[in-house]
Amino acid sequence: MGRWLRRIIWIGYDISIILSAVALAYGLRFDFSWDPSDMKYMPLAVILSIIILLTVYSFAHVYRKLWRYASVHELLVLGGATTLAIPFLYICSHILHSLIGRIVIPRSIFLIAYPFVLMGVGGGRLIWRVAADIVSNRMEKGIRVLIVGAGQAGVMVAKELRNQPTGRRIPVGFIDDDPAKLHMELLGVPVLGCRNDIPSAVKRYGIDEIIVAIPSAPLKEIQSIISICRQCHIRIRMLPDLKTILAGSSMIRLIRDVRVEDLLRRDPVNLDVDGIARFLTGKRVLVTGAGGSIGSELCRQVAAFDAELLILVGHGEHSIYSIDRELKSLFPHIQTVSCIADIQDRKRIEEVVSHYRPEVIFHAAAHKHVPLMEMNPTEAVKNNVFGTVNVADIAHDYHVERFVMISTDKAVNPTNVLGATKRVAEMYVQALNGKSRTIFVSVRFGNVLGSRGSVIPLFQEQIENGGPVTVTHPDMTRYFMTIPEAAQLVIQAGAMARGGEVFLLDMGKPVRIVELAEDLIRLSGYQPGKDIEIDFVGIRPGEKLHEEMLTHDEGAHVTKHDRIYIGGGGDVPSYKKLVAGIESLSRILEEERDLPVQSVKIKLALQRLVPNYQAYLDDEQQQIADTVQRVPWSDSRVLS
């Protein structure tokens, strides 16, 4: 229906309502006697009422509204316009009577007609809205939606779903645990039951999608509801937290799919804001690996504390460009500098530090992929060991106040090259702290959800391709936390540091990887083992079945923050011995040109540096190791 045709129809409808209301008012006023003398000026009253009411309606934009999607607001506007017209009718009738004395329109006519006009013009539109909804719900082949939460957020979601002109999603019912709302209706949508009734409601009403709309609910409650929803094997979506909603514009745009983070998330991190502010506000802060998952989030968090200058150091130009643009958009008052630099290039790092003179350095640059580093141990040593030594030494030379290195749980009793190189980096930072005015600390945590190279994106890609999802071992477990949580706790640990600590972040309970895979499959609307298969491919070289956060001899001490602990750090060689061991690694890279032999020698040298490192050697590598250990080589006595 065209815009003008729709307006003409509504104007015609209103004219008929006004005419009928005035005629009924005259009948009530004169007891339906219909005396010609009493009815003489009724046509004038009708014409006057039509002119005044339609004029006020036009100024109130009543005829510009799409009444098919009207709400209480539109009805209030209509009621206000009708009420405002009454005084004008009184004034006009009084003027006519003053100018032409014989024209008499009883003023009570307009007051009597008022409720009939209001009910007629408003009721007609309301009936049109309800009838259109009924027809739409019966005829439209849309997605049938069940909304969990009949509070303000849920009602707003239902309203926006119904007001969407496309009408692709149809709110069929609410779920709410409040007994007072059971079997009631909100916006014509019934409350079908409590959370335990979700599976039966989905089956009974043919639900295609569930939207969880309880943004203020505690995380345990959200997890409980999602757990029930997962039994239905349909798509689950949800509203984010209240902070995100308040910053957004449309409820529908904010609705997103349930993520694994929602199933694993923990209570929000409580930060010592004052302590962190003293640590970062007004400071010059340098972040290595600033384009990576953790590095970029550290930049966002640091910028939020009003650092004076944020120096973004990274090797990948695109990732540094992206985070720099984002920071300039989100924090235009924060000065940022992008420096393309490789931490293995000592001269370049020194140029950056000497020029910008950072007071705090967060060292997040590292290689972190276990199988890749197992196949490329030279690159792991270059980046994770030599790169850390470069940045740490330069921080010491230029009297940086604090140096915070990001480590990993794989540094505990390492079984792979990645873990061994990160443990060497930890030990070097600890040893350097003993001879420097700079406060050096390490922060150790496990896997981060959504980080580059993590298992979640791999599983999602495999699910999108129809499976199978590959899991190494049915009993394999890992610790997980979200990227923002990890970054916040790293900053908090940096603010608490006194020097030489290895901070451990509370990772919660370990998660079975196979259960993680099953959750992702269900959240994608499929059933594990039926729609998407899970294949067990075996543990890869260097991988552990279960990760640890600290060794038996390290111990852990509580801090004033309930999510951060201090590990004892274990036995750390003297700075002199560490330097000698690191130099031996350097000589291997310089002197050994046979790649397989070089890899084995690196692993053996790492074993001498990290005594609890259990290097993985396949049959070929073991033969090389036996040969190398039988023939004395220049670095065999290092650390002896």
Side-chain angles (χ1 to χ4, degrees):
M1 186 186 298
R3 179 181 60 181
W4 287 105
L5 178 58
R6 184 167 54 246
R7 288 184 181 181
I8 289 169
I9 290 174
W10 278 119
I11 289 171
Y13 171 79
D14 290 344
I15 289 173
S16 66
I17 290 295
I18 294 168
L19 191 154
S20 302
V22 173
L24 183 58
Y26 263 93
L28 292 171
R29 171 67 175 76
F30 295 106
D31 297 325
F32 295 97
S33 65
W34 306 112
D35 190 302
S37 61
D38 296 330
M39 302 295 142
K40 183 178 180 180
Y41 295 108
M42 188 182 78
L44 181 60
V46 170
I47 293 171
L48 189 62
S49 297
I50 290 172
I51 292 172
I52 295 296
L53 281 163
L54 294 188
T55 301
V56 174
Y57 287 167
S58 296
F59 276 106
H61 303 300
V62 168
Y63 299 112
R64 293 186 183 182
K65 300 184 184 301
L66 283 172
W67 290 99
R68 163 66 180 82
Y69 307 104
S71 65
V72 174
H73 172 73
E74 282 74 21
L75 290 175
L76 288 175
V77 170
L78 183 62
T82 306
T83 303
L84 184 63
I86 300 302
F88 284 106
L89 288 169
Y90 270 107
I91 293 170
C92 290
S93 65
H94 180 73
I95 291 172
L96 285 173
H97 180 69
S98 300
L99 295 176
I100 308 172
R102 62 178 180 273
I103 296 179
V104 178
I105 300 175
R107 281 172 289 184
S108 60
I109 290 296
F110 303 121
L111 193 60
I112 296 170
Y114 168 72
F116 298 116
V117 172
L118 194 60
M119 287 187 291
V121 297
R125 285 163 170 81
L126 185 61
I127 291 170
W128 165 249
R129 161 69 194 267
V130 173
D133 279 347
I134 293 172
V135 172
S136 175
N137 287 345
R138 291 194 175 186
M139 296 182 62
E140 193 171 15
K141 302 296 183 181
I143 297 171
R144 298 174 64 80
V145 176
L146 181 68
I147 302 172
V148 180
Q152 186 175 0
V155 171
M156 290 176 69
V157 168
K159 179 181 174 182
E160 289 204 31
L161 288 176
R162 297 179 68 172
N163 286 351
Q164 283 185 307
T166 55
R168 295 303 179 192
R169 283 183 167 79
I170 305 167
V172 174
F174 288 103
I175 290 292
D176 201 285
D177 288 339
D178 184 354
K181 295 178 181 178
L182 189 61
H183 305 309
M184 302 295 285
E185 289 191 0
L186 301 168
L187 300 177
V189 180
V191 179
L192 302 176
C194 64
R195 71 178 69 178
N196 293 325
D197 298 318
I198 291 175
S200 60
V202 167
K203 186 176 181 180
R204 180 177 180 183
Y205 294 95
I207 301 299
D208 303 306
E209 181 177 291
I210 298 173
I211 297 178
V212 180
I214 323 175
S216 60
L219 92 93
K220 288 185 179 179
E221 186 174 344
I222 292 292
Q223 290 172 336
S224 171
I225 291 169
I226 292 176
S227 178
I228 296 171
C229 293
R230 283 159 54 198
Q231 302 172 18
C232 304
H233 308 298
I234 61 175
R235 189 180 186 186
I236 310 168
R237 305 176 79 209
M238 67 182 297
L239 282 176
D241 54 31
L242 283 174
K243 181 180 178 181
T244 307
I245 291 174
L246 293 173
S249 56
S250 169
M251 279 283 192
I252 301 304
R253 291 179 182 176
L254 291 174
I255 294 173
R256 59 167 174 78
D257 288 332
V258 174
R259 303 168 184 157
V260 177
E261 294 95 307
D262 299 311
L263 305 181
L264 302 179
R265 67 177 179 163
R266 297 176 286 169
D267 294 321
V269 176
N270 296 315
L271 298 176
D272 175 12
V273 177
D274 292 336
I276 293 175
R278 290 192 296 271
F279 171 41
L280 295 176
T281 302
K283 297 291 182 66
R284 298 181 299 278
V285 181
L286 184 148
V287 180
T288 69
S293 306
I294 294 295
S296 60
E297 183 62 26
L298 281 171
C299 292
R300 297 182 192 99
Q301 302 283 348
V302 170
F305 280 96
D306 293 330
E308 176 191 330
L309 174 66
L310 192 50
I311 306 141
L312 316 177
V313 175
H315 196 209
E317 59 178 344
H318 178 70
S319 58
I320 292 296
Y321 171 73
S322 297
I323 186 60
D324 187 49
R325 282 191 61 196
E326 181 184 338
L327 293 173
K328 282 180 167 57
S329 173
L330 296 176
F331 307 97
H333 62 290
I334 301 296
Q335 183 183 357
T336 60
V337 175
S338 294
C339 299
I340 303 301
D342 189 338
I343 59 173
Q344 298 176 40
D345 186 346
R346 189 183 185 102
K347 182 179 178 182
R348 172 59 175 157
I349 297 298
E350 185 169 7
E351 288 172 351
V352 172
V353 173
S354 65
H355 181 73
Y356 294 107
R357 295 286 177 158
E359 296 159 280
V360 178
I361 292 179
F362 288 101
H363 178 45
H367 286 326
K368 61 181 182 179
H369 198 280
V370 172
L372 282 179
M373 293 305 99
E374 204 65 26
M375 291 186 291
N376 300 274
T378 56
E379 296 308 306
V381 167
K382 287 178 185 177
N383 209 57
N384 296 352
V385 178
F386 299 161
T388 299
V389 168
N390 288 340
V391 182
D393 283 349
I394 292 166
H396 163 69
D397 293 341
Y398 286 87
H399 308 299
V400 173
E401 291 179 9
R402 294 186 189 224
F403 178 97
V404 182
M405 188 192 82
I406 309 300
S407 189
T408 171
D409 57 358
K410 294 169 181 62
V412 182
N413 295 322
T415 58
N416 50 61
V417 170
L418 169 62
T421 56
K422 292 300 284 185
R423 179 56 188 152
V424 172
E426 280 185 1
M427 293 191 299
Y428 188 80
V429 165
Q430 284 179 282
L432 190 57
N433 182 79
K435 63 187 291 290
S436 177
R437 290 193 301 175
T438 301
I439 294 175
F440 285 93
V441 297
S442 300
V443 182
R444 188 188 289 171
F445 53 88
N447 296 273
V448 178
L449 288 170
S451 64
R452 296 177 189 172
S454 69
V455 72
I456 304 297
L458 173 62
F459 285 170
Q460 290 171 332
E461 180 183 338
Q462 291 174 334
I463 292 168
E464 288 175 5
N465 294 331
V469 173
T470 56
V471 177
T472 52
H473 191 282
D475 296 324
M476 178 169 279
T477 62
R478 288 294 182 267
Y479 291 99
F480 286 98
M481 64 171 28
T482 64
I483 293 175
E485 181 185 12
Q488 289 170 358
L489 289 173
V490 165
I491 292 174
Q492 180 69 76
M496 295 163 54
R498 295 294 177 266
E501 301 99 332
V502 175
F503 286 104
L504 315 174
L505 303 189
D506 175 14
M507 299 294 297
K509 295 180 179 179
V511 178
R512 290 181 67 215
I513 300 300
V514 66
E515 292 180 356
L516 196 63
E518 290 171 348
D519 285 338
L520 273 172
I521 293 170
R522 291 190 185 97
L523 292 177
S524 301
Y526 304 107
Q527 294 187 47
K530 182 178 180 181
D531 303 314
I532 303 289
E533 294 293 333
I534 296 177
D535 285 353
F536 296 102
V537 296
I539 297 177
R540 295 172 296 185
E543 283 190 323
K544 291 182 182 179
L545 195 59
H546 309 290
E547 293 288 3
E548 308 159 89
M549 288 305 296
L550 73 166
T551 62
H552 294 296
D553 62 334
E554 281 184 317
H557 308 287
V558 296
T559 67
K560 64 181 180 181
H561 196 285
D562 60 357
R563 305 278 280 276
I564 300 175
Y565 302 87
I566 299 176
D571 294 329
V572 179
S574 68
Y575 176 77
K576 183 178 179 180
K577 286 186 176 182
L578 271 174
V579 170
I582 292 170
E583 286 176 352
S584 75
L585 289 169
S586 180
R587 283 195 297 275
I588 294 170
L589 298 185
E590 290 174 3
E591 297 171 4
E592 184 57 66
R593 297 304 177 189
D594 186 302
L595 192 58
V597 175
Q598 184 189 68
S599 296
V600 171
K601 283 188 174 183
I602 286 173
K603 290 185 177 183
L604 294 176
L606 286 172
Q607 270 192 166
R608 282 188 291 275
L609 272 167
V610 186
N612 57 355
Y613 167 41
Q614 301 298 317
Y616 172 83
L617 299 173
D618 59 25
D619 293 340
E620 181 183 350
Q621 290 173 328
Q622 188 60 56
Q623 289 178 2
I624 295 172
D626 292 340
T627 302
V628 167
Q629 290 172 340
R630 283 198 303 268
V631 178
W633 48 289
S634 58
D635 301 302
S636 63
R637 291 181 298 277
V638 171
L639 300 181
S640 59

